[in-house]
Amino acid sequence: MNELKDRSVFVEASEVPKGPIIFVMVLGAFVAILNQTLLNVALPVMIVDMEMSANAAQSLTTIFMLVNGILIPITAFLMEKFTTRHLFLTAMSLFALGTLICGISFSFPTLLMGRVVQAAGAGIMMPLLMNVILSLFPIEKRGSAMGYIGLAMMFAPAIGPTLSGFIVQSYSWRVLFFIVLPITVIDIILAYFLLRNVTKVSKPKVDYKSIVLSTFAFGGLLYGFSSAGEKGWTSIEVLLPLIAGAGIMFFFVSRQLRLKTPMLEFRVFKYNMFTLTTIINVVVTMSMFAAMILIPIYLQNIRGFSPLESGLLLLPGAIISAFMSPITGKLFDRIGARPLALIGLGITALTTFLFANLTDETGYYFMMFGYSLRMVGISMIMMPIMTAGLNQLPRRLYAHGTAMANTLRQMSGSIGTAFLVTVMSSQTAKHVADFMPASGTPSELQLISIENLASIQGINDSFMVATVFAVLGFILSFFIKRTAPVEEDQEYNQQMATKSSSKRQVNQNVNPSHSK
């Protein structure tokens, strides 16, 4: 009984109330995602107020993504090294400190430092939350629990752009950080009293070489891909990080496969359903980013809508998908991932194709309806597919599976963004040449019209590529099957016991007097 009162000790899932733990951790994930979506809309205002360049402002987003992406692969090690409470409280405290620094900063370097501290905390939250759910819930109830993660993932982006657009039009951009900070502090207090240690700790040794290799490998790849959309794939600033990142990644993976206790276990890919669902999630994430990037560009740059109007168009779909997530989670527990994936990806493919036919007269409310329907499809895909893959892993690989799934989701988001923006840019340039009159020089008004039409066609071409991604995910979803955790934990424990027994036998043979 005393042990149950001590929140610092590990307790079995059956002995703890699950609701308070999930609420505290989902709230933490929610504010981390909300913080990121709030800032994107506020960057133009911050450029003027802080007197910084557009590149400097963009680096506030890039540095957050980089630190986040670098930290996520290391979370598997952190989750095995530290307890649930210790790790979550540290992550939330770092996030709160970074938020405070950003809110009171009056110079670009201070603001950038705040973003780095924020990202150091935020990167831990999602893998830790997923690992806790895998540890707390039996396989037949994980879908419902994962659905609440989907609610946080969808609802934060739903209200973020609209809320940010309203605030920056009426108040200082600093208010954005001071909205997030009290929620974060409340969550830290709740976590201190409610959070329990439900993940097992194995205390692995720190492998500094792996940490350094992981940092430069994932950092190089993420920076290269995130820069490619803006600077082009042939830019030295893109090629150098990509080549260096890929080379270092080879050594990182080789090292992980040689180590007995790797920092990030790549052997999770020997489980076929985890591998399949990870591939589908990568493809779907790349397709999902099409609408998130291209629709605001179309609305604001071509049609002349304000950022607030752009955010309002996306709001209903994001809210619908957020509230659909718990429903699809419960459906997952009943019927499995394949029916949900096929229906969801079918809807996603059709609605993405719908956006591949935009014109300069496409109706605002027609787009709102199409985007809302598309988000219904996406809400049926993301968490159910990821859960189906993680369900196959034995308990000892939960931390590595969640870290790997989140790492690849982060990578695919950067790759998808860069690739789709590149398609849009290159196709726009091609269409400008096609629309130019065969003879004579167009007037300034004609040139603006040609550029707008070419941009719309470039966006349509990019949506067509995203449709291909969705169709590929749809085809792969036919191979999803229901799985149960591989009965490897018992075998693994027996192997460890056999090795330990063998070592003792060797020691006894070497030193018989000691055995006496």
Side-chain angles (χ1 to χ4, degrees):
M1 196 68 184
N2 291 332
E3 284 190 355
L4 285 177
K5 290 180 181 179
D6 184 1
R7 293 175 176 82
S8 65
V9 300
F10 169 79
V11 289
E12 291 293 340
S14 59
E15 299 178 10
V16 294
K18 300 175 179 61
I21 295 174
I22 297 303
F23 173 78
V24 165
M25 299 192 74
V26 167
L27 182 60
F30 170 79
V31 291
I33 299 169
L34 177 65
N35 166 78
Q36 185 62 7
T37 55
L38 286 173
L39 191 66
N40 291 339
V41 178
L43 285 178
V45 178
M46 295 171 71
I47 289 173
V48 176
D49 189 53
M50 299 287 285
E51 297 181 351
M52 56 186 175
S53 66
N55 287 336
Q58 190 58 44
S59 68
L60 295 173
T61 301
T62 305
I63 195 70
F64 189 94
M65 180 270 296
L66 277 175
V67 175
N68 217 315
I70 288 168
L71 199 64
I72 289 173
I74 303 173
T75 54
F77 163 77
L78 295 175
M79 286 186 283
E80 292 181 334
K81 184 75 174 176
F82 302 104
T83 63
T84 313
R85 292 183 79 251
H86 187 175
L87 199 53
F88 186 78
L89 287 170
T90 301
M92 288 301 295
S93 298
L94 282 171
F95 183 77
L97 177 62
T99 303
L100 178 62
I101 293 171
C102 289
I104 63 175
S105 61
F106 285 91
S107 66
F108 172 73
T110 311
L111 191 58
L112 192 66
M113 183 181 71
R115 293 291 287 164
V116 170
V117 177
Q118 270 192 325
I124 300 171
M125 292 180 201
M126 192 60 71
L128 179 61
L129 172 55
M130 294 176 69
N131 190 35
V132 165
I133 284 180
L134 291 174
S135 302
L136 275 180
F137 292 89
I139 190 169
E140 66 274 8
K141 294 183 179 180
R142 284 179 187 165
S144 300
M146 285 287 193
Y148 291 105
I149 298 182
L151 191 151
M153 289 176 65
M154 297 293 186
F155 191 62
I159 64 172
T162 308
L163 178 62
S164 182
F166 170 75
I167 287 173
V168 296
Q169 284 184 8
S170 309
Y171 306 99
S172 168
W173 55 267
R174 298 177 192 280
V175 175
L176 298 174
F177 293 105
F178 290 121
I179 286 175
V180 169
L181 185 59
I183 304 173
T184 308
V185 172
I186 290 169
D187 195 48
I188 291 171
I189 295 169
L190 290 174
Y192 181 82
F193 290 103
L194 299 177
L195 201 57
R196 307 296 296 276
N197 294 322
V198 294
T199 55
K200 290 186 176 180
V201 176
S202 58
K203 300 288 185 182
K205 292 182 179 179
V206 179
D207 181 23
Y208 293 104
K209 287 184 180 178
S210 291
I211 293 174
V212 172
L213 289 172
S214 172
T215 299
F216 284 101
F218 288 105
L221 291 173
L222 282 167
Y223 182 80
F225 285 126
S226 65
S227 304
E230 179 189 352
K231 298 175 182 177
W233 292 91
T234 56
S235 168
I236 191 68
E237 292 182 55
V238 173
L239 287 175
L240 193 60
L242 286 179
I243 293 169
I248 298 169
M249 180 64 74
F250 173 79
F251 291 106
F252 174 67
V253 175
S254 299
R255 182 172 181 79
Q256 301 314 295
L257 293 175
R258 289 197 309 270
L259 293 172
K260 289 183 179 179
T261 54
M263 187 188 82
L264 183 61
E265 180 61 91
F266 282 82
R267 293 181 185 88
V268 290
F269 289 114
K270 79 177 185 179
Y271 300 94
N272 60 347
M273 204 48 54
F274 176 82
T275 302
L276 175 65
T277 55
T278 300
I279 293 170
I280 295 172
N281 252 314
V282 165
V283 172
V284 170
T285 300
M286 292 174 71
S287 177
M288 183 178 72
F289 269 72
M292 294 172 63
I293 299 160
L294 300 174
I295 288 179
I297 291 174
Y298 168 80
L299 289 172
Q300 295 174 43
N301 296 0
I302 298 171
R303 298 294 298 277
F305 289 102
S306 69
L308 182 58
E309 289 172 318
S310 176
L312 286 171
L313 185 143
L314 305 179
L315 182 61
I319 290 176
I320 290 170
S321 67
F323 286 102
M324 277 286 293
S325 287
I327 297 171
T328 55
K330 291 182 184 297
L331 288 173
F332 170 85
D333 289 335
R334 291 187 177 184
I335 63 176
R338 184 164 62 178
L340 289 171
L342 290 172
I343 295 170
L345 277 161
I347 293 171
T348 303
L350 287 172
T351 50
T352 307
F353 179 73
L354 185 73
F355 283 112
N357 295 277
L358 297 173
T359 69
D360 57 354
E361 295 181 348
T362 303
Y364 181 88
Y365 291 104
F366 173 78
M367 291 187 67
M368 182 183 287
F369 172 77
Y371 183 78
S372 299
L373 185 59
R374 188 174 189 272
M375 292 305 291
V376 169
I378 287 175
S379 70
M380 302 173 74
I381 304 166
M382 300 300 290
M383 295 315 297
I385 290 177
M386 190 178 291
T387 308
L390 292 170
N391 276 348
Q392 191 184 22
L393 300 180
R395 185 183 181 104
R396 68 184 180 86
L397 292 179
Y398 285 171
H400 295 275
T402 55
M404 188 68 74
N406 280 279
T407 297
L408 291 178
R409 187 167 61 85
Q410 183 91 353
M411 291 288 292
S412 59
S414 297
I415 296 169
T417 301
F419 185 67
L420 293 171
V421 169
T422 301
V423 169
M424 180 191 71
S425 302
S426 60
Q427 288 299 103
T428 297
K430 176 180 176 295
H431 290 303
V432 166
D434 293 339
F435 292 151
M436 281 293 184
S439 60
T441 304
S443 65
E444 186 176 343
L445 193 61
Q446 287 176 318
L447 190 59
I448 292 172
S449 178
I450 287 171
E451 288 175 348
N452 282 343
L453 288 173
S455 296
I456 293 171
Q457 290 304 314
I459 290 171
N460 286 343
D461 292 339
S462 196
F463 268 117
M464 188 59 72
V465 172
T467 303
V468 173
F469 290 151
V471 170
L472 177 59
F474 178 78
I475 294 169
L476 291 174
S477 294
F478 279 99
F479 300 97
I480 296 176
K481 296 178 182 177
R482 274 183 179 270
T483 56
V486 175
E487 296 297 331
E488 188 178 303
D489 285 335
Q490 187 175 354
E491 294 176 15
Y492 177 77
N493 292 334
Q494 287 175 352
Q495 289 174 7
M496 294 297 102
T498 302
K499 287 181 181 179
S500 178
S501 177
S502 299
K503 286 181 180 179
R504 285 197 301 270
Q505 187 65 42
V506 169
N507 291 335
Q508 288 175 1
N509 292 336
V510 171
N511 189 4
S513 61
H514 179 72
S515 63
K516 294 178 183 179

